[in-house]
Amino acid sequence: MIRTEELLLNVGPQHPSTHGVFRIVVKLDGEVIKEAIPVMGYLHRGTEKLAENLNYTQIIPYTDRMDYVSAMTNNYVLCHAVETLMGLEIPERAEFMRLIVMELQRVASHLVWWGTYLLDIGAMSPFLYAFRDREIIIDLFNELCGARLTYNYMRVGGVKWDAPEGWIDKVRDFIPYMEKKLVEYDNLVSGNEIFLARIKNVGRYDAQTAIDYGLSGANLRCTGVDWDLRKAKPYSLYDRFEFDVPLGTRGDCYERYLIRLEEIRQSLRILKQAVEQFPSSGDTMGKVPRVIRPPAGEVYVSIESPRGEIGCHIVSKGKAEPYRLKFRRPSFVNLQILPKLLVGETMTNLVTILGGIDIVVGEVDC
């Protein structure tokens, strides 16, 4: 009889598969995980508490840093919450700009996920291709707002400034380019037998489990639950555009992979319609007072970020600073299911499952 004993292993906070400073303590029996405990807080910046001493415009740069590969959507959820509380009307041109940058951001975010996920499970080339194509979007953002990662572009009532001349045409040119690249991505990876052996039927759960754990985004839709806030509770201009919500049935890592690739295609479909309908003129800022003081009250709004439902809850006392501010962060909520998924799996599958959930650590620890 072979004598065995359990081993405690720290995965992180420096391990590449954690994408930052997230740590998991796993209890192993040989290669099999018996227990998994997520440990977070290494990157905590106290964003919600700091906001209580900042005016609403000063809070926007903090939202950039919550999810550092999806800053535009985080900008929007804060501005949208304040505008809802104040009952502001946003100029059409400004709303088009917001929608365009949010969908470009969704594509860029999913490209980071696609490249790093495949890098984690052993494929180097896709990472290089993904970042090559993402660079086009980053250059567009740099031209628009002078930043490549943390944009501080949106404002309560509109956007910081209008698109430079020729910028919309560059977005229009990017769409067919990216559509062709997605075909190459599929040919390179999606049918690869080694890749399929690594991710098919790994990290499975059903729709009821996903709902019980409060999952959102691709982590929910991979089980067949049709819930995308752009369709279910339309905001901005999403009700004007035709697009589909990709769904799965098996709830495994492979379907989460397919859904995110299809979400890129649907984002390109939205962008194609948006650039064709883009207003030829108009304001980019609504009628907003110099000092923003929402009326006393509270509001909660939520939108569809690349990682799922991100929400913003504001309690106002009628002052220039919020009395309380709370974000509902999708990565933080999606993280809850990790211990359940990892128990009984091998260490090889830990990276596959963790990457498949698509956690941004900055958003977990904000």
Side-chain angles (χ1 to χ4, degrees), residues 5-7 9 26-34 347:
E5 59 183 53
E6 292 178 338
L7 172 69
L9 180 67
V26 292
K27 185 183 290 185
L28 297 174
D29 181 3
E31 276 289 306
V32 179
I33 299 171
K34 294 297 183 182
M347 280 299 293

Side-chain angles (χ1 to χ4, degrees), residues 198-210:
R198 285 295 305 272
I199 75 167
K200 261 194 170 181
N201 298 315
V202 174
R204 290 188 68 173
Y205 50 83
D206 60 20
Q208 189 58 53
T209 301

